[in-house]
């Protein structure tokens, strides 16, 4: 039966919404999408480039409407920024912060997956006059997100230039500058701790290596194999300069009374230039006669960093279990940065403005391994490689579907048509081909457009199992509308009535998920039956809501036991 208005009243007093998303992997890699240039492709074309390159996170230096709309429905996570010049307004006026969040964040959710707001960028370094207003601005943005029901989905932070850390070697001596340590950094770290946000740092080993007085080993700076450098105080050996710089920052936080692993770290900028000169006398040749800024070095540093994070090596000698995400600076060479065409600031891009790669890189952590037979008795799957590009993915899909793969499940209206992306459809097709050929060696290659994995991939739809879950970010009103519609159009909502087996947890998002999933299952998981104007979406791993498990077949009325499936925590 449909829920009563009493149920609505109870839900209105429930806990803050939670997102129905699986826990993130140990580390993710994205890019910084700077636009200080007059020759870059339009945002829609850039969005396609990001998808084709397998880039799943992007950070922008404003909240430009055209960029945010171009990233809608791509699945790419986006961090937006309150520019430094807006920081004082946001700090001084909570209503200004609310207007900014409403127009720059809430207006684009959930289609554009905004998951972070950076309040300023390197404020300590570039706008020290704003230091006293930094934490108040962050607090006002956080309060605005909370008022709009988005505080659980969107984190607030501020990128800190590594210059804020002094005495950085040995790492154990690291501390924050005296003029900001107690006055700004301590309350800032307290804010991050209270809100569960990220410690965000911009760190460039390049600049330490390329300094005129530097004696740093190049392999140590690039992250290539090398003997390492010990900290004489702790005897910890540092395999890379980046590790040493990260631990210097971690030690600095500890000296203010905070544990460096209380929050996830986000390395919001790191990269290496492929050319140009750096220094106070560019016209005289700069200070980089040694060729430190080169394509070879940029390729080595960025690929080493990408591979490291995606392989799960996010810790440091001081904190081996620390989690970290990384954004590579930058997506493009930007022709209006710096003071001239030879300025090193114009040469950090992974791509030229014409979208050709400056050098080879892979956001999947290196080339996929060659196909190999599964261990005896082990399951294996074939998945498409996003880095292969749309042309090769389409060719793989076409070949698989015309040579024995069952592709009926990805036709319009079928169970696995959603998500309607080339990558998802290609993975479905090549896996069907691979399974139908007995997982024989060589049947999952498609000229490098696919590879074998031995853990069940979340991205391949199982036509026999999918669920519909509510999206907390849309707010209680839209969730209530979805719940009411589902319960009024055939969903079995009796388990979420007071006393029902799925009444707990008594939250709007939990009850809405139960209702929309029941509607979806009773309509045989047909395409379009899990949308509710953007208030819900399909997932292919069983979600668990408290102790209540959503059924995955219309004829299953009882909740199943935890042993009957694997569940993503909600």
């Amino acid at each position: 039966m449909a829920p009563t208005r009493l149920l609505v009243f109870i839900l209105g007093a429930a806990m803050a919404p939670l997102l129905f998303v699986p826990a993130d992997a140990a580390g993710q890699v994205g890019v910084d999408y700077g636009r200080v240039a007059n020759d870059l492709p339009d945002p829609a074309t850039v969005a396609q480039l990001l998808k084709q390159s397998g880039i799943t996170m992007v950070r922008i230096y404003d909240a430009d409407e055209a960029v945010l709309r171009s990233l809608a429905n791509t699945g790419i996570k986006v961090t937006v920024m309150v520019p430094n010049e807006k920081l004082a307004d946001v700090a001084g006026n909570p209503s200004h912060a609310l207007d900014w969040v409403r127009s720059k964040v809430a207006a684009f959710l959930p289609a554009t997956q905004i998951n972070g707001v950076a309040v300023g960028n390197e404020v300590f370094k570039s706008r020290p006059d704003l230091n006293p207003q930094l934490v108040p601005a962050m607090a006002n943005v956080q309060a605005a997100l909370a008022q709009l029901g988005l505080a659980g989905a969107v984190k607030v932070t501020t990128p800190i230039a590594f210059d804020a850390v002094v005495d950085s070697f040995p790492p154990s001596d690291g501390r924050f500058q005296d003029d900001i340590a107690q006055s700004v950094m301590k309350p800032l770290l307290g804010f991050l701790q209270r809100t569960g946000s990220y410690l965000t740092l911009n760190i460039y080993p390049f600049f330490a290596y390329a300094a005129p007085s530097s004696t740093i080993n190049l392999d140590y700076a690039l992250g290539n194999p090398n003997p390492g450098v010990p900290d004489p105080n702790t005897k910890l050996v540092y395999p890379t300069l980046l590790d040493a710089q990260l631990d210097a920052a971690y030690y600095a936080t500890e000296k203010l009374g905070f544990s460096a692993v209380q929050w996830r770290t986000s390395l919001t900028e790191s990269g290496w230039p492929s050319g140009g000169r750096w220094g106070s006398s560019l016209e005289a040749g700069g200070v980089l006669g040694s060729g430190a800024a080169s394509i070879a070095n940029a390729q080595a540093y960025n690929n080493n960093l990408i591979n490291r994070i995606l392989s799960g090596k996010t810790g440091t000698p001081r904190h081996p279990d620390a989690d970290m995400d990384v954004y590579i600076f930058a997506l493009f060479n930007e022709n209006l940065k710096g003071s001239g065409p030879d300025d090193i600031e114009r040469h950090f891009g992974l791509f030229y403005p014409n979208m050709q790669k400056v050098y080879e890189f892979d956001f999947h952590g290196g080339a996929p391994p060659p196909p190999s037979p599964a261990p005896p008795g082990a399951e294996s799957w074939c998945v498409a490689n996003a880095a292969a590009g749309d042309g090769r993915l389409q060719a793989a899909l076409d070949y698989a579907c015309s040579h024995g793969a069952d592709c009926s499940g990805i036709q319009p209206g079928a169970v696995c048509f959603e998500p309607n992306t080339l990558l998802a459809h290609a993975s479905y097709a090549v896996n069907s081909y691979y399974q139908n050929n007995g997982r024989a060696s060589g049947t999952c290659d498609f000229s490098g457009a696919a590879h074998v994995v031995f853990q069940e991939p979340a991205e391949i739809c199982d036509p026999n199992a999918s669920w519909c879950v509510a999206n907390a970010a849309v707010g209680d009103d839209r969730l209530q509308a979805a719940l009411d519609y589902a319960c009024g159009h055939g969903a079995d909502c009796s388990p979420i009535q007071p006393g029902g087996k799925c009444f707990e947890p008594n939250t709007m998002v939990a009850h809405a998920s139960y209702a929309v999933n029941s509607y979806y299952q009773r309509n045989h998981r047909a395409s379009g039956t899990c949308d509710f104007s953007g208030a819900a979406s399909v997932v292919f791993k069983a979600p668990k809501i408290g102790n209540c498990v959503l059924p995955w077949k219309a004829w299953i009325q009882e909740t199943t036991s935890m042993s009957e499936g694997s569940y993503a925590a909600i």
Side-chain angles (χ1 to χ4, degrees), residues 317-363:
R318 171 67 171 172
H319 293 292
D321 296 326
D323 287 336
M324 180 171 64
D325 297 327
V326 166
Y327 292 81
I328 302 296
F329 186 89
L331 184 59
F332 292 109
N333 283 345
E334 299 169 64
N335 71 348
L336 297 182
K337 297 196 76 171
S339 58
D342 214 22
D343 194 311
I344 204 165
E345 293 290 336
R346 299 188 179 187
H347 297 273
F348 274 87
L350 295 168
F351 291 94
Y352 296 109
N354 65 2
M355 299 191 296
Q356 295 297 310
K357 287 182 176 181
V358 178
Y359 45 82
E360 284 302 315
F361 55 84
D362 187 347
F363 275 78

Side-chain angles (χ1 to χ4, degrees), residues 9 49 64 109 118 128 140 143 179 198 225 244-245 250 256 265 328 360 394 422 441 449 480 488 503 540 547 553:
F9 175 79
L49 177 67
D64 182 80
L109 291 170
N140 283 347
D179 59 336
Y198 304 156
Q245 292 176 311
Y250 292 159
L256 293 179
T265 300
I328 302 296
E360 284 302 315
Q394 186 66 56
L422 179 56
S441 178
Q480 184 66 57
F503 181 71
F540 301 109
N547 291 320
K553 291 182 180 178

Side-chain angles (χ1 to χ4, degrees), residues 63-65 68-69 72 80 98-114 145 148 150 154 473-474 478:
D64 182 80
E65 178 177 348
L68 293 177
R69 295 204 182 284
V80 297
L98 179 61
D99 290 344
W100 192 93
V101 170
R102 184 180 281 121
S103 63
K104 304 298 187 181
V105 178
F108 299 94
L109 291 170
T112 303
Q113 294 189 19
I114 300 173
L145 288 167
L148 297 175
L150 301 174
V154 183
V474 303
R478 290 171 64 187

Side-chain angles (χ1 to χ4, degrees), residues 170-257:
S172 56
D173 285 349
R175 58 185 178 84
F176 289 112
Q177 296 174 11
D178 291 339
D179 59 336
I180 62 171
Q182 294 294 328
S183 60
V184 190
M185 279 307 308
K186 191 165 186 176
L188 192 157
L189 293 170
F191 172 89
L192 297 179
Q193 185 182 62
R194 288 192 306 275
T195 60
S197 189
Y198 304 156
L199 173 66
T200 51
L201 303 164
N202 293 348
I203 302 181
Y204 293 87
F206 165 80
F207 289 111
Y209 169 77
S213 60
S214 172
T215 58
I216 295 172
N217 175 273
L218 179 60
D219 286 329
Y220 177 64
L222 294 175
N224 290 337
N226 70 93
V229 176
D231 182 323
N233 299 329
T234 64
K235 309 306 180 188
L236 293 172
V237 176
Y238 285 86
T240 72
L241 177 54
L242 178 61
D243 279 300
Q245 292 176 311
L246 282 166
D247 266 356
Y250 292 159
Y251 276 107
T253 67
E254 292 170 18
K255 286 169 183 164
L256 293 179

Side-chain angles (χ1 to χ4, degrees), residues 288-455:
L288 293 180
S290 64
S294 69
I295 287 178
N297 288 345
Q299 181 175 17
Y301 179 82
N302 285 328
N303 277 294
N304 285 340
L305 183 53
I306 292 169
N307 293 341
R308 167 186 174 164
I309 299 303
L310 295 184
S311 66
K313 298 174 182 177
T314 58
T316 63
R318 171 67 171 172
H319 293 292
D321 296 326
D323 287 336
M324 180 171 64
D325 297 327
V326 166
Y327 292 81
I328 302 296
F329 186 89
L331 184 59
F332 292 109
N333 283 345
E334 299 169 64
N335 71 348
L336 297 182
K337 297 196 76 171
S339 58
D342 214 22
D343 194 311
I344 204 165
E345 293 290 336
R346 299 188 179 187
H347 297 273
F348 274 87
L350 295 168
F351 291 94
Y352 296 109
N354 65 2
M355 299 191 296
Q356 295 297 310
K357 287 182 176 181
V358 178
Y359 45 82
E360 284 302 315
F361 55 84
D362 187 347
F363 275 78
H364 295 83
S372 58
E379 291 289 324
S380 60
W381 293 263
C382 184
V383 296
N385 175 15
D390 284 358
R392 289 165 65 192
L393 289 178
Q394 186 66 56
L397 187 154
D398 292 342
Y399 182 90
C401 292
S402 62
H403 288 78
D406 179 8
C407 295
S408 59
I410 53 176
Q411 299 307 305
V415 172
C416 290
F417 181 71
E418 299 292 346
N420 180 20
T421 67
L422 179 56
L423 182 63
H425 288 192
S427 280
Y428 186 97
V430 297
N431 184 63
S432 176
Y433 178 87
Y434 175 68
Q435 303 296 338
N436 289 347
N437 281 279
R439 303 197 297 274
S441 178
T443 58
C444 175
D445 178 60
F446 301 93
S447 300
H451 61 278
V452 175
V453 296
F454 299 112
Q455 291 186 349

